[in-house]
Amino acid sequence: MALAGPRRTEIKMIERLSSRQVTFSKRRKGLFNKAADLSLRCGAEIAVIVFSNTNKMYEFSSTTMEHILSRYINHGAAAGFSMESPEKKPQDEPADKYELSSCDTLSAILLLQEHIAALNLDCSRMMGMQLDGLSLKELNQLEEQIREGIESIEKRKIEVQDYYKYKPSYLLEYSNHLDRNNSQFFYGTSSSAVSDCTESGQSNDFVDTSLHL
Amino acid sequence: MALAGPRRTEIKMIERLSSRQVTFSKRRKGLFNKAADLSLRCGAEIAVIVFSNTNKMYEFSSTTMEHILSRYINHGAAAGFSMESPEKKPQDEPADKYELSSCDTLSAILLLQEHIAALNLDCSRMMGMQLDGLSLKELNQLEEQIREGIESIEKRKIEVQDYYKYKPSYLLEYSNHLDRNNSQFFYGTSSSAVSDCTESGQSNDFVDTSLHL
DNA sequence: GACTATGTATAACC
DNA sequence: GGTTATACATAGTC
């Protein structure tokens, strides 16, 4: 008689390789089933990509992977631009931003590069570089911005210190895991909802980091 | 007294819109949790993309979406990406040498988005946001970086003040204009391919403003 | 958004 | 790869 069931299993990396592989197979299958279920029941379009420990790739997609990915790309490309030009009002989203078709790849790339240039400039300036052309007023704004950043960081440092002081280890598990992978996402916030056509503001994917100078 | 539980549910599209939406929310959350579990327990890298009926997008990714997707693209490109054409795909085709394949374009965009995500993260952190997952040491490094930035800005402010002091204003405007146009630097560093197999930590070195945390 | 009865996924074992 | 006991997910309901 098997007395075993899924005992209170702590959520952490399984050490034993064989167990890990078995668990991976079973759970991966379960995950794909869940995805298929959700897709069918709710008419959702779902893609799941999994890379195992051993760099093997597994995928599920309710329609075509390519279709979902290009849909994702277009969505992200559109949603990613909130502020490449500081002159523009960030809240007013002109309709044309969401009209990127999959054929507009070249312009999408150009826009992304523009976006990168702007972000690069912002980053550089916060590090005290590329300050040419900023007026005194703008320099003051920049400095103010940065000082607020430092304040937040100081606060966070205290939080982290307390956190480690009183750490419940089960809370650290996932964030530690993510730390190892150098991810910016924390467990609860890695899922985000962004509307396809009409967006009313909230977007977790791309934080508006523009300095608006 | 609620006598209900999940009765045997046939797997088909849920007709009632409200039920479908509720179910979608619950199951999507469940799916993402499963993905997170699997990722953590087995050290897998997982991405899930979901488009709802109403074209809302939701995503989960154990690391960054861009990283996983470009890994997917590269993997697929190397090992039989063509599912629809069972025939072989010779890579040495002089014909499309000067033509970007859709795969290349997609991966180019992903690379750019990954770049943007990294820059966004850097900028956010310098502004005191997105600090989750940074260790105390990293927070200190970040703060140090920023303080150096402030120092440079202070110095620049003095320069500018002197500039105003000793320069006729009609010359000032014009040179300010020139400064501004010259200050935008481009995405000059050639974008190196992101290595897939070796997870040697952060690989956004192509950003010269990277914080290297 | 919380509750609860019930179905489902799955860890340990074969 | 199959079985079973148990934890987990969740449909219907408030």
Side-chain angles (χ1 to χ4, degrees):
Chain A
M1 48 182 171
L3 296 172
R7 296 276 156 82
R8 221 178 135 55
T9 52
E10 99 183 285
I11 301 183
K12 58 167 292 191
M13 168 79 88
I14 300 169
E15 301 85 357
R16 277 212 322 160
L17 180 62
S18 60
S19 300
R20 190 165 64 216
Q21 285 172 337
V22 168
T23 295
F24 177 74
S25 279
K26 290 181 175 180
R27 278 182 173 268
R28 174 172 44 79
K29 191 182 164 191
L31 183 68
F32 286 176
N33 282 335
K34 287 273 179 206
D37 259 35
L38 178 56
S39 160
L40 271 172
R41 294 179 133 102
C42 306
E45 199 169 19
I46 302 180
V48 183
I49 298 173
V50 176
F51 285 97
S52 75
N53 239 1
T54 57
N55 291 328
K56 270 205 165 200
M57 193 189 74
Y58 304 85
E59 62 181 290
F60 165 85
S61 56
S62 63
T63 57
T64 310
M65 183 60 80
E66 286 153 351
H67 178 248
I68 299 175
L69 290 194
S70 61
R71 199 173 167 188
Y72 174 82
I73 294 293
N74 287 332
H75 190 96
F81 302 120
S82 21
M83 65 331 180
E84 67 270 12
S85 56
E87 283 77 24
K88 264 189 178 173
K89 295 178 285 180
Q91 298 305 333
D92 284 354
E93 301 292 349
D96 64 277
K97 282 192 179 176
Y98 297 103
E99 284 172 5
L100 277 179
S101 76
S102 49
C103 302
D104 290 327
T105 43
L106 190 58
S107 67
I109 287 176
L110 289 174
L111 280 173
L112 287 168
Q113 287 186 337
E114 249 180 87
H115 194 165
I116 285 173
L119 278 172
N120 247 322
L121 185 59
D122 285 350
C123 272
S124 297
R125 284 178 169 170
M126 284 195 279
M127 293 194 289
M129 296 144 63
Q130 306 282 326
L131 299 176
D132 297 330
L134 288 185
S135 69
L136 197 58
K137 187 185 163 199
E138 289 168 330
L139 285 167
N140 279 320
Q141 285 178 346
L142 178 60
E143 187 178 345
E144 176 57 26
Q145 181 77 259
I146 294 174
R147 289 199 186 278
E148 283 173 22
I150 285 189
E151 226 169 287
S152 298
I153 291 166
E154 292 282 1
K155 256 189 272 180
R156 176 66 186 166
K157 274 164 63 178
I158 292 172
E159 275 178 32
V160 170
Q161 281 171 333
D162 290 348
Y163 193 58
Y164 275 96
K165 221 175 277 176
Y166 306 117
K167 66 165 178 182
S169 60
Y170 59 89
L171 278 181
L172 286 173
E173 282 163 10
Y174 199 80
S175 62
N176 275 342
H177 172 67
L178 291 184
D179 282 353
R180 252 181 275 123
N181 291 325
N182 250 315
S183 169
Q184 69 185 101
F185 296 117
F186 195 64
Y187 176 73
T189 58
S190 52
S191 56
S192 61
V194 182
S195 164
D196 230 355
C197 303
T198 54
E199 180 48 47
S200 56
Q202 179 231 359
S203 161
N204 292 336
D205 285 337
F206 292 92
V207 179
D208 185 354
T209 55
S210 172
L211 297 176
H212 299 299
L213 289 176
Chain B
M1 53 192 73
L3 298 172
R7 296 277 153 80
R8 99 183 74 93
T9 51
E10 88 181 295
I11 302 183
K12 58 167 290 197
M13 168 79 90
I14 299 168
E15 300 86 356
R16 276 214 319 159
L17 179 63
S18 60
S19 300
R20 190 165 63 217
Q21 285 174 337
V22 169
T23 295
F24 177 74
S25 279
K26 289 181 176 179
R27 280 182 172 268
R28 173 172 46 77
K29 190 182 165 192
L31 183 69
F32 287 176
N33 280 335
K34 288 274 180 206
D37 258 34
L38 178 56
S39 157
L40 191 44
R41 294 179 133 101
C42 305
E45 200 168 19
I46 302 181
V48 184
I49 298 172
V50 176
F51 284 97
S52 75
N53 243 1
T54 56
N55 291 327
K56 273 205 170 199
M57 191 187 75
Y58 304 84
E59 63 182 288
F60 166 85
S61 55
S62 64
T63 57
T64 62
M65 183 59 78
E66 288 78 20
H67 179 249
I68 298 175
L69 292 193
S70 54
R71 196 174 170 186
Y72 173 82
I73 296 293
N74 291 331
H75 191 97
F81 190 73
S82 52
M83 303 283 277
E84 48 256 82
S85 61
E87 262 310 304
K88 44 83 186 163
K89 204 163 191 176
Q91 279 143 5
D92 42 14
E93 278 300 328
D96 41 39
K97 207 172 184 180
Y98 301 105
E99 224 173 68
L100 277 182
S101 74
S102 63
C103 192
D104 286 336
T105 335
L106 198 59
S107 68
I109 289 176
L110 287 170
L111 205 58
L112 289 170
Q113 288 193 335
E114 199 172 354
H115 194 159
I116 286 174
L119 278 172
N120 246 320
L121 184 58
D122 285 350
C123 274
S124 297
R125 283 178 169 169
M126 284 195 280
M127 292 196 290
M129 295 145 65
Q130 306 275 128
L131 299 177
D132 295 330
L134 287 185
S135 69
L136 198 59
K137 187 185 162 200
E138 290 168 330
L139 287 167
N140 279 320
Q141 284 177 347
L142 178 61
E143 187 178 345
E144 177 57 28
Q145 180 77 259
I146 294 176
R147 289 200 186 280
E148 284 173 22
I150 285 190
E151 226 169 290
S152 299
I153 291 166
E154 292 283 2
K155 256 189 271 180
R156 176 65 186 166
K157 272 164 66 179
I158 292 172
E159 276 177 32
V160 171
Q161 280 172 333
D162 290 349
Y163 193 62
Y164 273 95
K165 224 174 277 176
Y166 303 122
K167 196 134 187 176
S169 61
Y170 57 86
L171 281 179
L172 188 65
E173 278 182 27
Y174 190 71
S175 64
N176 256 346
H177 173 67
L178 289 184
D179 283 351
R180 191 182 303 279
N181 286 338
N182 286 332
S183 64
Q184 295 261 348
F185 61 38
F186 282 113
Y187 173 48
T189 53
S190 63
S191 54
S192 56
V194 177
S195 70
D196 268 343
C197 300
T198 53
E199 287 281 357
S200 58
Q202 192 94 319
S203 62
N204 45 356
D205 297 336
F206 46 85
V207 186
D208 46 2
T209 54
S210 173
L211 296 177
H212 299 296
L213 287 179

